Structures are given as C-alpha cells and as structure tokens.
Amino acid sequence: MSLDIKKTYKLFIAGAFPRSESGRSYEIRDKKGNFIANPAQASRKDLRDAVLAAKNAHSSWASATAYNRGQILYRIAEIMEGRSEQFVAEIMAMESVSSKQAQVQVRQAIDTWVWYAGWSDKISTIAGSTNPVAGSFFNFTVAEPLGVVGIVAEEKSSLLGVVLGLAPVLAAGNCAVLLASQKRPLSAITLAECLATSDVPAGVVNILTGLSDELTPHLASHMEIDGLDLSGVDGKSAAALRISSVDNLKRVHSFPSEKSPERILSFMEYKTLWHPIGV
Amino acid sequence: MSDFEYAPAPESKAIANIKKDYGLFINGKFTSSHNKKRFETINPANEEVLAKISLADEVDIDKAVKAARSAYVKVWSKLSGKERAKYLFRIARLLQERSREFAVVETLDNGKPIRETRDIDIPLSAAHFFYHAGWADKLEFAGFGDKPKPHGVVAQIIPWNFPLLMLAWKIAPALATGNTVVLKPAETTPLTALLFAEVCQQADLPPGVVNIITGDGGTGAALVKHPDIDKVAFTGSTEVGKLIARSLAISNTPVTLELGGKGANIVFEDAPIDQAVEGIINGIFFNQGHVCCAGSRLLLQENIHDEFLNKLQKRMSKIRLGDPLDKNTDIGAINSAAQLAKIHELSSSGQAEGADIWSAPCQIPNKGFWFAPTIFTGVTQAHRIAREEIFGPVLSVLTFRTPQEAIEKANNTPFGLSAGVWTDKGSRILWAGNHLKAGVIWANTFNKFDPASPFGGYKESGWGREGGRHGLGAYLKGAM
C-alpha cells in the first residue's frame, strides 16, 4: 500500500507560496468533524506584504493591453478546467455537497472567468464617452482601474464566490488582495496554484487564509488599498469596516452572487480629458 | 506708448432686489425658522450686511424632509419624465431671464468678480438645468438598466465657492432622475439659493420638490443624519466629507462626495509658453483660487523655470484686484474672514518652511477680505503649501527634469481631482493623461466646465461624478 501525499495549504503572495510569517496555522474540519487541513493563519504583516506586492504589480498590469489581460483571464479558465477534479473534491469536503453540486459550481466558476475574459477589452467602450461640450474642445471620458482592491469573497459557494470577486477586479486592470473564507479556504488556495501557472504576473493576485475577524479590519484601514469588495461580510461587521475604510475614502461595495459588468465598473474610476481644437 | 489706465466700470447694484431677511424655503413657501434664530450674510468686499438669514434646526429639517417625502410620494414620483423635463427647462429659462440679477447678487454675496458670475457661474447654472432636462425622459437609454429608479429624498450640501453653480450641479440631476431635494447652501453664501427658491415658485414647481434650508455646519450635520434621507450629496472639504461618510457608514446610505484637491499643472519645455502662462494664471487665480480643482502646484521643467517665472510674474503684475462689481476686476474678495485667516496661516507656513514668497504688487482695499496673488518658489514636496489645499490665490512652484518625475510629483498627493498638461506633443499629452491619477485633466487649457462633461475625483478627492451621463448614476438606485 502507498500513502497519500497530503497537500500543505499556504498563502499566495507576490507569486510565491509562503507560510504565514507568524508561523501560525489553524485547523479546518468537515461537517462531521473530520480533519481536512491546516491552512496558514495570516497575520497583519502578511497582509501588508500582500498589499505591497499588489501595489508593485499594478502599473504593469494596468498598462498591459486589454486584449492581453483578456487572454490571461481565459488562460485561467483553461488551467482550472484541467484541475476540476481537485476543485470538486475540495468543495465536497468543505461544503458537504454532492459531487453533482460541486461539479456545477466548478463549471460556473470556470465559465465566470471566460465571461470576464471577454469583458476586459469591451468595458471601456461601454462605459466611456466623448462629451459634446459647448466649446471648441475635444472631451472624452475613459474608465481606468482603481489600483489595489481588497476582496472578502462570499463563502456559500467557496470557489464561485472567490472567482466572482477576483475576475471582474482583474478584468478592470486592478490588483487584488483576497481574503479566503475562514471555514472554506481550500478552493482559493488551489485557485492560486492555477493563477501561478496562467501567466498572471506575480503580485496581481494575492490570497490570504486566516481568521476573518483578525484580518478584515486591517484590510479596511490599510491606506494603500483603494477599493473593497465586502460581499462575504455580514451586515453588522460590514458597517464597522465601512467606517474604517473612510480614512482614505476607499470605494466599498457588496454584490449579489452573480456576475455583472457593474462588478467591473465599481472598481474603475472615470477620467475626463479636455483638449482645445484648433489649427 | 503710454499705458492706458482702466476707468472703473461698475455694474449697478440696483437690479439686486435683496430682501432684509429671508425665511426657509419649505414645501413651496418661505417660512420662519422654528427657533427664530438668524445670522447675517455679508458682502466680503466691504463687510456690509446684505440680509438676515434663518438658521434651521432639527425641527425645521424634519419639516423640510417631510415636505420632500410627501412631494416625492404624492407628486414627483408619479410624474412622467417628459413632464419633469418641462419643469427643468422652465427653470433653465428663468435663470437665463434673471441672469443679470443672479450675477450681481452672487458677486455681492460671494465677493467674486462680476465678470466671472456673468460669464461663467450663471450661464453654466442655466446650462446644467437645460442639459439635465433633456435626460429626464431618456433615462432608460443612459446605461443604468431598463428601469432606472430614483433614490427618493436627497439631502444636498453645497459650498460657498460657486454657490448657484453648485446648486445647479446638485439639483438639476436629482430632479431629472426623479428625486426630491432638501438642499443646504453654505453659511456665507445663501442668497442665490434663496433667489433660486423664487425661481422654483415662478416655475410652478410642485411644493416640496425643492426645499432650501439655510444654516451653519450644525444644520448640515443634522440634515445628513435625518433618518428619512435616501441619499446624500456633498461638495466641500475632504475633512467634512469624511465625517459625513463615517456618519452614514452604518446605515449605508448612498453618498457622493466632491472634495478637495491639490491639482498639478505641468509645463513641459516644448509648451507654448505665453499660452501656458495664461493657463497657469487661470488655473490658480480664477475665483480667487477658491476652486477645488485649482492648479495650485505648478510643475515646471527645470530648463524653462527662469524664463517661465519671469513671464508669470510680469503677467501677475497686470492682474486687477478690487471691487468685484467692476467689470475690469480679475480678482475679487476672499469669501470670509475665516478663509482669509486660513490662507494667511498656510502662506506663513510656506515662509517658515523656507520657500520664497512673491506677491503681485496691488492695492489692497481698506475694508473687506483680500489676498494678493502670490507665488512660492523653491517649494519642496514636503512643504505644507505643496501638500495641503490652500483654497486661495497662492501658487506653489516646483520643478522636474524628466516626464516620469513630473508624473511622480503630480501624483504624490492623497488628492486626485484635476491636473493640467502643457506641451506641443500630442503623444506626450496622452501619455501624461494616462498616468496622472486625476478625474479631470486639462491639456493645453485649464478650469473648463460643462454639464456634458463628468467632473469628480480620484482617491481622497471624492466619490462619484457630477455631470454628463456618468453623473446621473449618483441619483439612480444601485448605479453609482
């Protein structure tokens, strides 16, 4: 007989898979109480490292062509497809759902990447404009990426929630620091392994596992995070996070669990440029 | 050739029919405030009292919000977009008809030159109503879904730098999208908002659709906290904007904020220098520098620094400061004693921190609040005058060597409202435009505004846009 090789679930920061600098981990168990894994328990320092990595990656990701970003997002779908069995197994273990239900979720998650891949070079056409000002000026408005977006993903469907959070943020040209579900973090880490092999530049996505009460306040107050997706935070905790996010006027949103172009535009900023017309 | 002297060309005050005192405009009528408290609004150019204004308290606010709610439920939300549009067109026309009166009253109450109120503030205000009137029956085509819905009752708080224009930026889109409004004008400049209330009466706007409550900061704070407000829109300082955002974080009431700025005006070596000098002057001295998107940091490419500064100082020496009602006047009065004190304080800090000050030689009137056009050279990025919004006619001059350095310095601020780029090279304009973190970028021009053009800031300059298709989102449910 040969023993299984069990996986060590670690963080994903700047394209690498470190353990928490704090050396901590925590246990997750299934519904019946069986041990599943010891994911890393990220610290505030890990979060700061993740934000720094995202910040450093932003200018080249934002200035990549939208066509290029679209291809990379599509590549993520391709790589996930090959790992779908592993996603199904992890979802079944964490969420105690049937294999059929898990398969549906994986299918939806992959399709979500494909959908957003196509948006990357279309969102500006839909959202931008030329503006007929009363004067001899050419005036146009474009939608630009915001910068670094913190995401607390919705955890009911742990893989789909993560993808619904990440894909629109990436399609817009933003970088992300994603906090995985405390109870169901495995999908996020396995997704990180897909991202690491999909030509997503290091630092564009950073994924932390750990205790949400410990990490979310730092996500909300960090002055280098520009936007926050609080879809995975319940109403009462969200209010406290919104208050501390005001320190640098983060753009804070929560979304229903479905894909939409609003999820892209919520983390974009409109820029308007004027230039005189003349000979 | 000898210099021509300018003879005074004052606009007559006779057209301004300012009443001795004003009530609050609630449910279509002027009513006295609950506590009978009053405050005075003065002409900052001579400190004479213009009128007594009612100070609204919680009871008045509640009355105004109830009037707005009732008007929303019973009248405004039942009206078709087509009919709402007609009211807005009427208002636009009334503003045009009474434009001279509005211009004079605005100049008296604010201190800004009549040339600006006549040519910019008032015509642009009318244009905002005209533009948004056209949207009222076309909202389903604006890209916010098939059935865009208004919020309901909107609380709006506006600043003193462009009193009527800021009112128009707030009220026109709110009404076009089907909301009703409780608006609070700034404490020091309530008069044109109260004149606007008369316009609402003349337009037969249903009572309660627009309510104007006057007061101080406490009035504004109480208004945004009223539990029956569905949306808040604020223009003012970043400090107050954050207070409002925090106070609404629990209820998660939608908020749009137009806040401060520290705009960089970048002049590259190949820029048309004379045009750029005019643009820099307009960028910082327009409206006494009381402009959130003012180009208050001048970034000069190092090799043109001396030549540019020389021309800039020469041009500044020709600026005419004085009677705001004089049609020749370029720079009027600072809006209030408090603002003047703030400008003095920051200007002193510039000297204390080691920058060199130069002010244009001009005669400062004996009465009123005045500050001569001033530039600081030798400014570093660490100086307070390079970091903090002065909101006055004070320009900080910095230098750069490479385009990359210019962008880095321009973006080195928590604000992100505006920026200017001066160069003859098209590709450089678009490159700089790409990299500047600002909501509005003027290339080879500055301080241009239009109702069709979205306005608003990145980073700590605010949330959301005003104007254009994008600005409508602020007043539609779930659309910002």
Side-chain angles (χ1 to χ4, degrees), chain B residues 31 43 158 231 273 404:
Chain B
T31 50
N43 178 348
I158 56 170
K231 189 239 159 36
I273 298 293
Q404 286 77 8

Side-chain angles (χ1 to χ4, degrees), chain B residues 169-282:
Chain B
W169 282 28
K170 293 278 179 288
I171 292 184
L175 297 195
T177 47
N179 299 279
T180 58
V181 162
V182 180
L183 176 132
K184 184 203 154 286
E187 189 180 355
T188 59
T189 55
L191 289 182
T192 47
L194 294 163
L195 267 195
F196 179 82
E198 291 176 15
V199 165
C200 293
Q201 290 177 325
Q202 290 181 341
D204 281 327
L205 188 72
V209 171
V210 168
N211 303 276
I212 310 273
I213 55 158
T214 45
D216 56 13
T219 311
L223 174 60
V224 300
K225 279 183 197 142
H226 192 286
D228 202 31
I229 296 292
D230 300 311
K231 189 239 159 36
V232 172
F234 170 78
T235 297
S237 71
T238 292
E239 188 191 352
V240 176
K242 286 181 181 178
L243 288 177
I244 290 174
R246 282 193 196 98
S247 81
L248 296 170
I250 296 196
S251 63
N252 207 13
T253 306
V255 194
T256 35
L257 303 169
E258 296 286 357
L259 308 176
K262 194 72 196 175
N265 222 338
I266 306 170
V267 184
F268 289 100
E269 57 186 353
D270 67 334
I273 298 293
D274 292 335
Q275 268 173 267
V277 167
E278 283 306 312
I280 302 306
I281 294 274
N282 174 44

Side-chain angles (χ1 to χ4, degrees), chain A:
Chain A
M1 147 187 174
S2 123
L3 269 179
D4 288 349
I5 310 290
K6 296 265 193 196
K7 183 162 134 187
T8 307
Y9 290 90
K10 297 194 286 186
L11 308 175
F12 183 51
I13 299 174
F17 291 90
R19 289 194 170 84
S20 169
E21 61 81 34
S22 65
R24 300 176 305 174
S25 65
Y26 70 105
E27 249 182 32
I28 55 164
R29 292 176 179 273
D30 68 13
K31 233 180 183 173
K32 290 177 190 147
N34 301 316
F35 172 81
I36 303 177
N38 283 319
Q41 187 185 330
S43 66
R44 183 182 187 177
K45 174 76 168 80
D46 293 317
L47 189 144
R48 287 205 298 257
D49 291 345
V51 175
L52 188 67
K55 186 101 188 148
N56 288 341
H58 181 247
S59 91
S60 65
W61 180 242
S63 59
T65 65
Y67 176 46
N68 184 224
R69 280 202 304 270
Q71 289 184 90
I72 291 174
L73 262 60
Y74 183 75
R75 177 80 177 152
I76 299 169
E78 290 179 350
I79 302 293
M80 275 183 76
E81 187 83 31
R83 298 278 288 264
S84 49
E85 274 178 37
Q86 186 184 355
F87 281 115
V88 168
E90 284 167 348
I91 288 170
M92 286 170 68
M94 292 185 299
E95 300 179 22
S96 308
V97 292
S98 70
S99 114
K100 183 118 190 267
Q101 285 168 308
Q103 277 165 11
V104 168
Q105 189 185 149
V106 173
R107 184 76 264 142
Q108 285 177 331
I110 294 171
D111 289 352
T112 298
W113 281 113
V114 174
W115 197 72
Y116 280 109
W119 264 119
S120 70
D121 55 3
K122 291 159 198 77
I123 195 73
S124 292
T125 312
I126 302 295
S129 59
T130 56
N131 309 308
V133 294
S136 189
F137 295 93
F138 185 58
N139 174 304
F140 64 93
T141 300
V142 291
E144 287 193 339
L146 196 59
V148 177
V149 178
I151 303 171
V152 186
E154 191 262 313
E155 65 177 354
K156 194 166 161 283
S157 299
S158 62
L159 177 64
L160 185 59
V162 166
V163 175
L164 281 174
L166 275 181
V169 163
L170 264 56
N174 291 303
C175 293
V177 175
L178 179 129
L179 187 56
S181 157
Q182 181 176 325
K183 279 190 234 154
R184 301 168 168 179
L186 304 191
S187 303
I189 290 301
T190 301
L191 176 65
E193 290 161 10
C194 295
L195 298 170
T197 52
S198 304
D199 291 336
V200 179
V204 169
V205 178
N206 305 275
I207 294 179
L208 303 173
T209 54
L211 311 187
S212 51
D213 284 349
E214 181 187 357
L215 293 170
T216 49
H218 300 310
L219 204 63
S221 64
H222 198 296
M223 295 297 274
E224 301 284 346
I225 292 179
D226 307 292
L228 263 190
D229 174 352
L230 294 182
S231 300
V233 179
D234 66 64
K236 215 174 172 189
S237 320
L241 298 178
R242 281 196 298 268
I243 291 175
S244 43
S245 75
V246 170
D247 289 352
N248 67 336
L249 289 178
K250 288 180 184 68
R251 280 70 172 142
V252 184
H253 300 277
S254 292
F255 305 99
S257 313
E258 59 194 25
K259 50 192 196 303
S260 67
E262 284 74 31
R263 292 186 89 129
I264 312 176
L265 287 172
S266 295
F267 298 115
M268 297 188 88
E269 198 71 63
Y270 291 115
K271 175 184 279 178
T272 299
L273 194 142
W274 295 65
H275 195 276
I277 298 170
V279 285

Side-chain angles (χ1 to χ4, degrees), chain B residues 331-352:
Chain B
I331 290 203
I334 300 300
N335 179 252
S336 66
Q339 185 57 30
L340 183 61
K342 194 188 151 198
I343 298 168
H344 275 301
E345 194 270 320
L346 271 159
S347 169
S348 309
S349 85
Q351 289 173 282

